[in-house]
Amino acid sequence: MSPKLTALRLGLALLAAAAANTVIALGASALDDGGIGMGLSPAAYLPATVLGLLLGTVGWSVIARRAPHALRVVVPAVLVLTWIPDLMLLTAGATAANVVGLMLMHLVVTTALVTALRPTLTPAAHPQPVAAAD
């Protein structure tokens, strides 16, 4: 896949993730009655969305070059790890709506990244059967 096409796919992924995270933040804010609203303002989640996509792209590129099959384990594992600080916010006064909203935002960024970069993976090099010469 060409670098221009990959950049376009990442740009579209960023727009989609920002839009989806805005909807999630609005919903979580509406349900966050009396909570701290951590990470639900555009000033917090929009830069985090950009940073998440950038760091994810770097990580994806490194792993895809060295061990592309590892992405099947690494991507979900990293997603789960990003949920740990979200869950810890419950001890700081965040509501369940706030925490679930942040967890969904992480899922959105992960989904956007995987959708954008999956086509960049090259098919595994499997030996093709050689046709018998007649």
Side-chain angles (χ1 to χ4, degrees):
M1 179 174 284
S2 76
K4 286 183 182 181
L5 185 55
T6 301
L8 175 63
R9 291 179 67 86
L10 284 169
L12 292 173
L14 175 59
L15 290 175
N21 281 347
T22 298
V23 171
I24 292 168
L26 290 171
S29 294
L31 297 171
D32 189 38
D33 187 31
I36 60 175
M38 178 64 82
L40 298 178
S41 71
Y45 68 79
L46 289 175
T49 299
V50 173
L51 184 62
L53 278 169
L54 288 174
L55 291 174
T57 299
V58 170
W60 179 284
S61 299
V62 169
I63 294 168
R65 267 189 248 128
R66 297 197 172 127
H69 294 295
L71 287 168
R72 291 182 180 187
V73 175
V74 173
V75 171
V78 170
L79 174 61
V80 170
L81 288 174
T82 67
W83 289 342
I84 293 171
D86 297 339
L87 291 169
M88 291 174 62
L89 287 174
L90 289 170
T91 63
T95 63
N98 190 164
V99 171
V100 169
L102 293 173
M103 292 172 81
L104 287 173
M105 288 176 167
H106 287 129
L107 178 62
V108 163
V109 171
T110 302
T111 302
L113 181 74
V114 170
T115 302
L117 294 180
R118 181 176 243 167
T120 65
L121 293 176
T122 57
H126 295 292
Q128 298 296 322
V130 178
D134 290 324

